[in-house]
Amino acid sequence: LKVINCCVWDPSGEIFELKAELNSDKKEKKKEAVKKVIASMTVGKDVSALFPDVVNCMQTDNLELKKLVYLYLMNYAKSQPDMAIMAVNTFVKDCEDPNPLIRALAVRTMGCIRVDKITEYLCEPLRKCLKDEDPYVRKTAAVCVAKLHDINAQLVEDQGFLDTLKDLISDSNPMVVANAVAALSEIAESHPNSNLLDLNPQTINKLLTALNECTEWGQIFILDCLANYMPRDDRESQSICERVTPRLSHANSAVVLSAVKVLMKFMEMLPKDLDYYGTLLKKLAPPLVTLLSAEPELQYVALRNINLIVQKRPEILKHEMKVFFVKYNDPIYVKLEKLDIMIRLASQANIAQVLAELKEYATEVDVDFVRKAVRAIGRCAIKVEQSAERCVSTLLDLIQTKVNYVVQEAIVVIKDIFRKYPNKYESVIATLCENLDSLDEPEARAAMIWIVGEYAERIDNADELLESFLEGFHDESTQVQLQLLTAIVKLFLKKPTETQELVQQVLSLATQDSDNPDLRDRGYIYWRLLSTDPVAAKEVVLAEKPLISEETDLIEPTLLEELICHIGTLASVYHKPPSAFVEGSRGVQHKRLPARMGAGLGAAPAAMPASLGGAPAVGGGLGDLFDLGGGVGMPTGSYVAPKTAWLLAMKAKGLEISGTFARRGGIIQMDLSLTNKAMSVMTDFAIQFNRNSFGLAPAGPMQVLTPLSPNQTIDVSLPLSMSGPVMKMEPLNNLQVAVKNNIDVFYFSCQYPLSLLFVEDGKMDRQVFLATWKDIPNDNEAQFQIKDIHLNSDVASNKLQGSNIFTIAKRTVEGQDMLYQSVKLTNGIWVLAEMRIQTGNPNYTKTNGFRDCMQKQMYDSTSVVRFSSK
Amino acid sequence: MIGGLFIYNHKGEVLISRVYRDDIGRNAVDAFRVNVIHARQQVRSPVTNIARTSFFHIKRSNIWLAAVTKQNVNAAMVFEFLYKMCDVMSAYFGKISEENIKNNFVLIYELLDEILDFGYPQNSETGALKTFITQQGIKGQTKEEQSQITSQVTGQIGWRREGIKYRRNELFLDVLESVNLLMSPQGQVLSAHVSGRVVMKSYLSGMPECKFGMNDKIVIDKQGKGGTTDDPKKTSGKQSIAIDDCTFHQCVRLSKFDSERSISFIPPDGEYELMRYRTTKDIILPFRVIPLVREVGRTKLEVKVVIKSNFKPSLLAQKIEVRIPTPLNTSGVQVICMKGKAKYKASENAIVWKIKRMAGMKESQISAEIELLPTNDKKKWARPPISMNFEVPFAPSGLKVRYLKVFESKLNYSDHDVIKWVRYIGRSGIYETRC
């Protein structure tokens, strides 16, 4: 049967032959056979049938042979999980080998075998290897934890490998530290909320020390990790920058770029008037320029990043225009990127040089490059007013070349120049009109038509020109059709006597013969305007246009900030956030730049992880409002959750904080219990909040009057105002807090119940309610079921009123009570709810709608669900 | 991190394929072949995204190397790694060619297993790798040897092993500069810079501590200030040069350079690149090219090019080559030159003028008549710049090595015993004059 099998897969008998050789007694022959197997594997042949025979060769003292067998195993173990078990023994044995190279090889390979049964056996050897006396084994084991996590994250957590990995950050060997950092960073990426990479000044210090000693790759891992840290204040930020700047002289471009990333990020926190800030800016330019003498592929990566950097901080490279001049032999991708940066750096000071260059480029061979160069000339005209005239004459020269795509590109940019400088360069229109026939691209045709329409009164034969386009109206693209329609209407308004027929013709083409709704609509609007009120038509159609802005193609500021945090990575090459091209949870977390230090603790709490723990379970918050724990009775005011621990003594040098939030008489209060579990007295307490979704901020300083002696607990009620700075948090109700005492500053984050924000005057007028209810789009609706509540509708209604959820109306349909309720938030958002209570059934269904014209866009639909759940 | 690494020949056949991550499937190998290697267009970007998989690719002669990933990796690191991979392979088996790769595929797999773990680059210094990836097994090693290997691979000085011995301690320093120029037809310098490298060949015993000094303006000015009442201009003057930026080999202590601007290190054994630098000020441009192109009617061009050497008459430039581009519709060329040999190469669309040697402060000239075929192509000839190649025995940036001190406290030799050689070579980089 076996032979038949082989024949089916392998008509040439190759597999059969290899099988025989693999089972040969001669070592050399065996090795040659395994080599042949690997060669077949490389070219994509299926050699999995040889699995048992290859695995049999595993137990050997020939390291080369062993490595080959391992390579085979990594490739095929997944397809033959049962047989892969045969290899386990050898692995476990190798992990005990006296030779560290063999121990490392075994643990490295085992981690690459993605078979559940094997991973079970991996745990013990891995644990030992993580504590191996040899650094080579430890650095390999560190990476193995990341491998195992990729296969079975739960197992890694259960086995406590994460803690061991964290310990390795303090290892004496720099490479072990670097690999541990790399592994932890990767694991942390898939758990955005975990506090895995617990970065604090102590660990940062360890990392900075290892930075000086480890390999170039290790330096990259460490720098990339450092970039995720948020320094507590500008002093710490400066001291990290000082220790990172030497990396700018490293021969490895990736080390340089990662260092640039750290500096660009931490620089945000430095006050601009600081001397060091200026020094740092100056230090950044030379290494960025040096990157341009690297190999072309790296130049490309560098240029894409420089493009971001000049948008964020144009001052860094403003004097370096020349290095971006295109070289004749640059690959096209380098040329295009350089051109882009040249335009960004163009200014009055260097415009003459830039224009001379661009003129050269416009005569090159590559079509894309030439087009971009022509477009760049136009952009210079718009950006630097003094140069506009020269740019226009350069463009005219280019039009004279009659090279089709050059002419078209030039016309498109001239249209923009007309818009920027109206009534200045119209003398060139005649030249443009000469080229009308050669235009075959929609953008250029549309631009030309716009020009003719806009300046119809100065072009004698404008009607003829436009009429010529009208013949093939239906073959034009929408862009051209729309433009033609508008242009002819403009013409009609300017020269009504001769063009009546023409305008009738185009209106009927647009409204009757076209399937395009945009075109039809525009046609009808013009038609009605012209027939009812020609004066109004004139005001509308010939209205003065706003000037176009100088900078185009700028990356949107929030995206730019995020991309700055990703300098050196693929995201910075694609100019897209990682979520746009990475699948799954990895990299989806959005990064932000730190805020400049304005008022004391201001931005510091941003150093904390975005949230602790996940979002509250849907409906759970609703249950709280019903005060299930509180037994029966009349409403006693809003629900106050019991205090929970927010800051643990272990993490805060002995200070323990637990707390909760309450709304009392329209005032929001934060109730805190501060406990001193340290040995010494604590004094000088202060508190600050980070920016948050609803602008919560302490209304006054935290009053801790007496020093807190060891083992003493003090209760403080802190009134809160809603006047702080607003920034959307994830989850919405997350609050990041910094508490300072004489010892240090500590950070924690907590979540406040949204019911805290329900204001007392949240009762909506009945009529308004009815109207609003209908207006709520379906997207803004969410439904929840609340289970096991034994309250009738009246009691429920009363209870909810205690938390400022007001019942507007009630009706009973088919034995179900329907309550209609409204809630208003401190920032003016209304939430409308419908509650259905089935008598005798302890499950409630609540439908929430949510309305606010201004705020709606701020919250996406997912946050609405979470929002409404409370 | 890097999910997989593939090596292809020019036809797109896979020579090496190593997958590190589960998210990279076999189809990735084919996707790259179809979309990049077999694509008709020239490469428009060194990073290609195909179906949410990113490919980083470089080409060495006709071999493609591609690193694949599905994550947001450090792109600069991936390219640096690919270059490093090429260096390592060349150090093991010479030129990167299809034949060499096929003959050494077992070695390459072994290297790939060592220098990339789960897609994370590990120590890739050839000096260290060669101690334990030898293709001969490691059976014979003693325990001490093994731990020496592992401590070297993971240690602070991963680029040098202990116990190196030479009877003659010797070192060679090569200052290699390439001078780049872009000049307008009128002789105005549009951009000029020197990118230089200091390459060191060290044959030194033990773990020598080295200190390298050059005529860096910042250092010399500092010393001037440190000195008594000397006028700083006297000490620095013309002898020092302003370095725009420099980068160093892994072995140089960067924090020390940052704080004191001193270059100290323990060098790798054998040849390596100690530093790279770039200067833009006060560059000696060894040659000046003066072009004169005249269009005589639609079918004839007259070209006259003068080159002037601009350095000490006692020095000799070598391997001089001037390349004068000709239009695509050239039908015939007649050249007259006073010195060297000139030839019209139709396949390269250029007149190539070669001069073996030329002393400083000399001048030479070539004139050519180019006959053109009449065309109705509307597009004008792009007039590519005239480019030049040469080699001169000095550093166009003006850089001078002041000292290279060697200290080895444990072994019995001092700085004086080391034989030191310094050589300066200036070459043309992209040296172009527009016409």
Side-chain angles (χ1 to χ4, degrees):
Chain A
L1 186 73
K2 243 183 187 168
V3 177
I4 293 166
N5 238 344
C6 284
C7 288
V8 172
W9 290 349
D10 178 42
S12 67
E14 199 184 329
I15 298 258
F16 189 65
E17 255 173 50
L18 282 172
K19 212 179 186 68
E21 285 174 37
L22 284 169
N23 291 311
S24 154
D25 297 331
K26 287 182 190 141
K27 268 191 188 167
E28 266 315 295
K29 206 163 190 184
K30 248 187 192 174
K31 197 162 120 187
E32 284 311 307
V34 178
K35 278 189 190 174
K36 280 185 206 161
V37 173
I38 300 291
S40 305
M41 191 175 88
T42 299
V43 295
K45 283 187 199 161
D46 184 5
V47 282
S48 58
L50 295 167
F51 201 90
D53 311 278
V54 177
V55 172
N56 270 338
C57 304
M58 188 173 165
Q59 250 178 348
T60 168
D61 45 7
N62 183 322
L63 197 66
E64 194 190 356
L65 179 58
K66 186 174 269 216
K67 283 182 179 173
L68 287 173
V69 176
Y70 281 178
L71 189 62
Y72 179 91
L73 261 174
M74 286 186 263
N75 259 290
Y76 287 114
K78 221 174 153 187
S79 58
Q80 313 247 345
D82 293 327
M83 281 204 258
I85 289 294
M86 288 162 50
V88 163
N89 259 335
T90 320
F91 279 128
V92 175
K93 217 176 93 195
D94 279 0
C95 285
E96 306 272 339
D97 197 278
N99 185 340
L101 292 172
I102 293 189
R103 293 202 294 278
L105 178 64
V107 78
R108 184 165 71 214
T109 313
M110 237 174 139
C112 295
I113 298 180
R114 304 174 64 91
V115 173
D116 282 342
K117 280 181 196 154
I118 290 210
T119 40
E120 280 169 33
Y121 289 101
L122 174 60
C123 291
E124 274 323 299
L126 178 58
R127 198 185 315 283
K128 268 188 207 155
C129 287
L130 280 167
K131 303 213 159 125
D132 200 284
E133 53 170 17
D134 194 292
Y136 183 78
V137 181
R138 291 201 300 278
K139 72 110 186 162
T140 311
V143 176
C144 190
V145 176
K147 292 179 189 170
L148 190 58
H149 186 270
D150 194 39
I151 305 170
N152 189 341
Q154 195 57 47
L155 185 70
V156 170
E157 275 173 49
D158 295 347
Q159 295 279 333
F161 285 139
L162 294 181
D163 293 322
T164 326
L165 202 53
K166 276 191 209 166
D167 293 343
L168 288 184
I169 289 188
S170 316
D171 199 280
S172 58
N173 184 293
M175 196 165 180
V176 178
V177 178
N179 276 3
V181 167
L184 276 172
S185 304
E186 182 168 346
I187 295 171
E189 240 176 62
S190 52
H191 294 271
N193 291 327
S194 70
N195 198 13
L196 247 187
L197 258 170
D198 180 25
L199 293 178
N200 55 47
Q202 289 78 31
T203 40
I204 291 298
N205 197 29
K206 280 177 199 156
L207 294 184
L208 286 168
T209 311
L211 186 62
N212 290 325
E213 295 166 351
C214 61
T215 66
E216 49 197 316
W217 315 116
Q219 296 185 17
I220 299 168
F221 306 153
I222 291 178
L223 287 168
D224 284 352
C225 172
L226 270 180
N228 290 326
Y229 177 66
M230 295 276 186
R232 289 170 306 171
D233 51 31
D234 47 342
R235 280 218 310 281
E236 189 186 9
S237 180
Q238 180 176 345
S239 87
I240 295 175
C241 287
E242 278 166 358
R243 292 177 72 179
V244 167
T245 34
R247 298 297 121 199
L248 294 175
S249 308
H250 201 284
N252 187 315
S253 309
V255 175
V256 176
L257 265 181
S258 291
V260 169
K261 165 165 56 192
V262 175
L263 298 174
M264 282 293 286
K265 217 177 150 184
F266 289 7
M267 217 160 135
E268 289 288 313
M269 291 181 68
L270 300 177
K272 283 197 166 169
D273 47 359
L274 195 71
D275 284 346
Y276 182 71
Y277 179 81
T279 320
L280 199 52
L281 274 182
K282 273 192 210 117
K283 276 193 174 173
L284 275 170
L288 286 173
V289 174
T290 298
L291 291 177
L292 297 184
S293 43
E295 289 83 344
E297 292 87 3
L298 265 174
Q299 274 187 53
Y300 174 72
V301 174
L303 286 165
R304 293 293 282 175
N305 279 288
I306 289 172
N307 199 327
L308 299 173
I309 293 168
V310 295
Q311 287 185 58
K312 180 76 193 159
R313 296 190 177 278
E315 64 270 31
I316 295 179
L317 289 167
K318 67 177 174 205
H319 299 304
E320 304 288 348
M321 170 62 90
K322 277 187 181 178
V323 300
F324 298 102
F325 285 178
V326 170
K327 292 181 188 138
Y328 190 72
N329 290 322
D330 281 336
I332 181 67
Y333 49 82
V334 169
K335 283 185 177 172
L336 291 171
E337 292 307 316
K338 280 187 173 172
L339 195 49
D340 226 28
I341 294 168
M342 277 174 70
I343 303 163
R344 295 204 194 282
L345 292 177
S347 67
Q348 202 183 331
N350 56 26
I351 194 73
Q353 266 185 324
V354 174
L355 261 182
E357 281 295 308
L358 292 176
K359 211 174 159 183
E360 286 284 331
Y361 305 163
T363 60
E364 282 228 30
V365 195
D366 190 283
V367 177
D368 285 351
F369 181 61
V370 171
R371 280 174 178 272
K372 201 164 184 173
V374 175
R375 200 164 280 217
I377 297 173
R379 271 167 69 184
C380 285
I382 291 164
K383 200 173 166 189
V384 186
E385 190 166 353
Q386 293 80 354
S387 76
E389 202 162 334
R390 269 157 72 199
C391 294
V392 172
S393 78
T394 309
L395 287 170
L396 282 178
D397 286 351
L398 290 171
I399 289 176
Q400 297 301 349
T401 63
K402 304 276 177 196
V403 178
N404 188 280
Y405 53 85
V406 175
V407 173
Q408 308 211 36
E409 207 63 49
I411 286 182
V412 173
V413 292
I414 286 181
K415 181 199 81 177
D416 287 341
I417 296 176
F418 282 169
R419 285 217 44 196
K420 170 80 186 183
Y421 310 108
N423 303 318
K424 219 167 166 191
Y425 301 110
E426 284 73 14
S427 54
V428 309
I429 291 176
T431 321
L432 302 185
C433 289
E434 287 165 22
N435 292 286
L436 208 61
D437 299 333
S438 63
L439 308 181
D440 52 11
E441 290 164 19
E443 205 183 349
R445 286 173 82 86
M448 192 62 221
I449 292 169
W450 182 87
I451 293 171
V452 174
E454 189 68 18
Y455 300 101
E457 68 273 26
R458 308 182 194 203
I459 306 171
D460 294 337
N461 60 341
D463 49 344
E464 280 170 41
L465 293 177
L466 292 176
E467 200 173 357
S468 68
F469 281 101
L470 213 52
E471 282 161 21
F473 189 79
H474 290 298
D475 301 327
E476 300 284 0
S477 72
T478 311
Q479 190 185 10
V480 179
Q481 289 175 333
L482 285 168
Q483 207 52 262
L484 196 53
L485 174 61
T486 306
I488 291 180
V489 172
K490 280 183 193 164
L491 173 71
F492 172 71
L493 289 169
K494 289 174 177 174
K495 301 179 179 174
T497 46
E498 316 111 80
T499 56
Q500 202 139 15
E501 203 176 314
L502 193 61
V503 82
Q504 297 252 305
Q505 210 182 335
V506 77
L507 287 175
S508 93
L509 278 171
T511 52
Q512 284 160 29
D513 303 338
S514 170
D515 293 332
N516 186 316
D518 284 347
L519 189 63
R520 271 205 318 260
D521 284 357
R522 198 186 281 191
Y524 278 124
I525 290 172
Y526 283 146
W527 203 325
R528 299 242 163 94
L529 260 175
L530 291 174
S531 55
T532 50
D533 188 353
V535 179
K538 218 165 189 163
E539 273 169 27
V540 172
V541 181
L542 302 180
E544 204 166 303
K545 277 162 279 299
L547 291 183
I548 57 172
S549 74
E550 291 176 6
E551 294 284 350
T552 42
D553 296 348
L554 284 181
I555 294 177
E556 190 257 325
T558 48
L559 176 60
L560 181 62
E561 290 218 343
E562 187 177 356
L563 293 179
I564 291 285
C565 300
H566 287 292
I567 284 178
T569 69
L570 257 184
S572 71
V573 173
Y574 290 150
H575 289 185
K576 284 178 190 163
S579 52
F581 59 91
V582 176
E583 279 167 8
S585 61
R586 273 196 186 126
V588 174
Q589 204 182 7
H590 291 278
K591 293 190 180 175
R592 282 185 303 112
L593 288 176
R596 195 168 300 281
M597 299 304 283
L601 290 166
M608 294 177 305
S611 72
L612 299 168
V618 170
L622 287 169
D624 286 349
L625 290 186
F626 285 110
D627 193 9
L628 293 172
V632 283
M634 288 306 283
T636 54
S638 74
Y639 169 73
V640 178
K643 281 181 181 168
T644 47
W646 284 341
L647 185 70
L648 296 178
M650 289 158 56
K651 290 203 170 163
K653 298 181 180 163
L655 177 65
E656 191 162 86
I657 298 178
S658 62
T660 184
F661 294 89
R663 189 179 182 94
R664 298 189 185 97
I667 293 168
I668 301 171
Q669 285 181 323
M670 186 180 197
D671 294 345
L672 295 159
S673 293
L674 311 176
T675 308
N676 182 354
K677 297 210 167 172
M679 305 296 282
S680 56
V681 176
M682 292 179 181
T683 55
D684 303 336
F685 283 93
I687 192 163
Q688 272 283 3
F689 294 177
N690 193 10
R691 288 186 284 177
N692 54 69
S693 314
F694 295 94
L696 277 177
M702 182 160 66
Q703 303 285 335
V704 183
L705 297 173
T706 47
L708 196 58
S709 37
N711 270 329
Q712 193 193 351
T713 299
I714 244 181
D715 286 336
V716 190
S717 257
L718 183 69
L720 305 182
S721 74
M722 311 297 296
S723 55
V726 174
M727 181 183 66
K728 191 189 163 191
M729 297 298 292
E730 194 66 49
L732 214 53
N733 57 340
N734 196 27
L735 181 67
Q736 300 181 330
V737 185
V739 169
K740 183 190 91 92
N741 63 10
N742 57 330
I743 299 166
D744 206 337
V745 185
F746 308 105
Y747 305 106
F748 62 87
S749 73
C750 52
Q751 290 169 9
Y752 47 90
L754 278 180
S755 60
L756 203 62
L757 309 167
F758 297 172
V759 295
E760 278 69 23
D761 61 346
K763 188 157 186 163
M764 202 181 240
D765 179 77
R766 227 182 134 100
Q767 292 306 319
V768 180
F769 185 96
L770 266 173
T772 317
W773 186 259
K774 283 181 202 144
D775 283 344
I776 296 171
N778 286 342
D779 287 354
N780 281 2
E781 256 181 41
Q783 265 198 34
F784 312 98
Q785 222 178 36
I786 308 159
K787 290 192 173 161
D788 298 326
I789 298 175
H790 301 272
L791 297 174
N792 68 30
S793 58
D794 289 333
V795 179
S797 172
N798 273 336
K799 260 194 178 304
L800 289 172
Q801 183 147 1
S803 293
N804 295 339
I805 301 173
F806 300 96
T807 306
I808 310 293
K810 178 187 162 183
R811 64 186 173 127
T812 311
V813 182
E814 295 167 357
Q816 294 183 350
D817 282 340
M818 315 279 270
L819 291 181
Y820 292 89
Q821 296 164 319
S822 74
V823 170
K824 188 184 169 191
L825 288 168
T826 45
N827 57 357
I829 299 179
W830 285 92
V831 179
L832 309 186
E834 173 191 75
M835 183 150 61
R836 198 161 57 224
I837 303 167
Q838 281 169 294
T839 337
N841 180 349
N843 295 348
Y844 290 10
T845 304
K846 192 161 183 176
T847 309
N848 282 17
F850 153 79
R851 187 208 76 137
D852 189 296
C853 306
M854 296 306 290
Q855 304 282 343
K856 197 156 57 188
Q857 282 157 351
M858 206 177 119
Y859 302 112
D860 52 36
S861 54
T862 50
S863 52
V864 175
V865 173
R866 184 168 298 152
F867 174 80
S868 308
S869 72
K870 289 250 164 173
Chain B
M1 279 307 114
I2 298 173
L5 206 140
F6 308 130
I7 301 180
Y8 302 84
N9 65 10
H10 67 287
K11 284 184 261 174
E13 291 163 357
V14 202
L15 305 177
I16 297 286
S17 129
R18 174 75 159 93
V19 173
Y20 294 93
R21 297 273 175 148
D22 203 38
D23 53 4
I24 302 299
R26 183 85 206 171
N27 51 358
V29 186
D30 303 322
F32 183 71
R33 172 180 31 242
V34 174
N35 288 289
V36 179
I37 302 183
H38 289 173
R40 284 209 192 141
Q41 249 192 341
Q42 57 167 320
V43 172
R44 301 300 276 194
S45 160
V47 187
T48 312
N49 192 307
I50 308 164
R52 286 191 158 240
T53 310
S54 299
F55 294 81
F56 298 78
H57 41 94
I58 64 170
K59 218 177 159 190
R60 287 289 179 269
S61 62
N62 51 14
I63 297 294
W64 293 82
L65 280 91
V68 195
T69 184
K70 284 207 161 184
Q71 298 178 19
N72 182 30
V73 295
N74 188 318
M77 183 185 80
V78 177
F79 280 122
E80 283 283 3
F81 176 79
L82 287 175
Y83 303 142
K84 194 71 173 203
M85 177 75 205
C86 291
D87 291 348
V88 171
M89 289 197 291
S90 314
Y92 268 94
F93 52 76
K95 197 174 164 265
I96 295 175
S97 65
E98 182 170 352
E99 201 191 346
N100 278 344
I101 287 174
K102 278 184 170 162
N103 289 338
N104 290 285
F105 84 97
V106 174
L107 168 72
I108 296 174
Y109 276 124
E110 200 175 338
L111 286 169
L112 280 177
D113 196 42
E114 185 58 44
I115 59 179
L116 214 48
D117 191 5
F118 201 40
Y120 287 107
Q122 304 291 303
N123 193 335
S124 45
E125 294 291 330
T126 23
L129 289 171
K130 279 191 169 172
T131 57
F132 69 106
I133 296 191
T134 56
Q135 289 283 286
Q136 269 140 38
I138 44 168
K139 241 169 82 186
Q141 287 160 349
T142 64
K143 207 163 179 236
E144 288 74 55
E145 279 169 337
Q146 286 164 5
S147 75
Q148 206 183 351
I149 289 170
T150 59
S151 81
Q152 195 207 333
V153 175
T154 61
Q156 290 179 29
I157 306 168
W159 54 86
R160 189 183 180 93
R161 65 188 167 89
E162 300 244 9
I164 296 172
K165 279 204 179 78
Y166 287 101
R167 199 180 295 169
R168 205 160 103 118
N169 288 299
E170 199 170 14
L171 66 85
F172 300 85
L173 274 178
D174 280 346
V175 177
L176 306 170
E177 293 194 341
S178 76
V179 50
N180 297 277
L181 170 75
L182 183 63
M183 197 175 251
S184 77
Q186 293 76 34
Q188 185 194 2
V189 176
L190 296 174
S191 75
H193 74 273
V194 166
S195 57
R197 307 186 296 143
V198 178
V199 174
M200 182 174 177
K201 271 179 239 163
S202 73
Y203 304 104
L204 302 168
S205 312
M207 291 298 237
E209 183 69 44
C210 297
K211 209 171 166 192
F212 175 68
M214 54 189 175
N215 56 341
D216 175 3
K217 196 165 190 288
I218 296 177
V219 177
I220 289 178
D221 286 357
K222 237 189 210 170
Q223 286 168 350
K225 269 180 216 160
T228 49
T229 52
D230 273 358
D231 181 10
K233 269 184 192 160
K234 242 182 204 170
T235 44
S236 59
K238 255 198 143 181
Q239 285 124 33
S240 67
I241 61 159
I243 292 175
D244 287 28
D245 189 37
C246 44
T247 60
F248 295 101
H249 184 265
Q250 171 80 11
C251 66
V252 176
R253 294 182 191 91
L254 294 180
S255 38
K256 214 157 176 191
F257 177 74
D258 194 55
S259 56
E260 304 161 22
R261 224 173 155 88
S262 77
I263 304 166
S264 63
F265 53 96
I266 296 174
D269 194 39
E271 184 173 334
Y272 73 102
E273 190 179 287
L274 173 65
M275 73 177 278
R276 278 181 188 229
Y277 57 91
R278 185 165 46 82
T279 72
T280 46
K281 289 196 190 71
D282 303 323
I283 295 169
I284 308 158
L285 295 170
F287 285 95
R288 186 145 171 228
V289 178
I290 304 152
L292 231 155
V293 182
R294 209 160 65 93
E295 289 180 37
V296 187
R298 284 178 59 93
T299 56
K300 201 169 151 191
L301 274 181
E302 278 180 12
V303 180
K304 199 175 113 180
V305 176
V306 179
I307 59 168
K308 284 183 178 172
S309 59
N310 176 35
F311 44 87
K312 271 190 242 163
S314 58
L315 298 174
L316 272 183
Q318 292 185 69
K319 301 178 192 165
I320 301 148
E321 187 187 292
V322 183
R323 185 172 282 264
I324 304 158
T326 55
L328 297 173
N329 54 337
T330 302
S331 61
V333 176
Q334 281 175 326
V335 219
I336 311 160
C337 59
M338 304 186 300
K339 220 178 159 198
K341 281 179 191 163
K343 227 184 194 175
Y344 165 61
K345 294 197 173 169
S347 59
E348 296 165 34
N349 288 312
I351 300 166
V352 181
W353 176 26
K354 286 183 179 170
I355 304 169
K356 276 197 183 132
R357 265 178 220 97
M358 189 165 169
M361 298 318 218
K362 287 261 169 18
E363 188 177 310
S364 195
Q365 180 183 327
I366 185 173
S367 36
E369 272 186 26
I370 302 168
E371 304 279 343
L372 302 176
L373 289 172
T375 58
N376 43 14
D377 192 359
K378 270 189 194 162
K379 197 170 177 264
K380 236 177 41 180
W381 174 46
R383 280 205 188 185
I386 296 175
S387 59
M388 230 195 130
N389 286 314
F390 53 79
E391 199 178 295
V392 289
F394 60 90
S397 70
L399 182 130
K400 288 263 166 1
V401 176
R402 289 172 60 221
Y403 56 81
L404 198 146
K405 292 177 196 151
V406 181
F407 310 94
E408 168 53 293
S409 47
K410 284 184 197 148
L411 295 174
N412 238 350
Y413 70 95
S414 73
D415 187 40
H416 299 290
D417 304 327
V418 181
I419 307 159
K420 300 169 191 170
W421 306 86
V422 184
R423 179 166 66 159
Y424 299 91
I425 301 172
R427 290 200 183 99
S428 51
I430 295 166
Y431 204 84
E432 293 176 340
T433 306
R434 289 184 178 154
C435 58

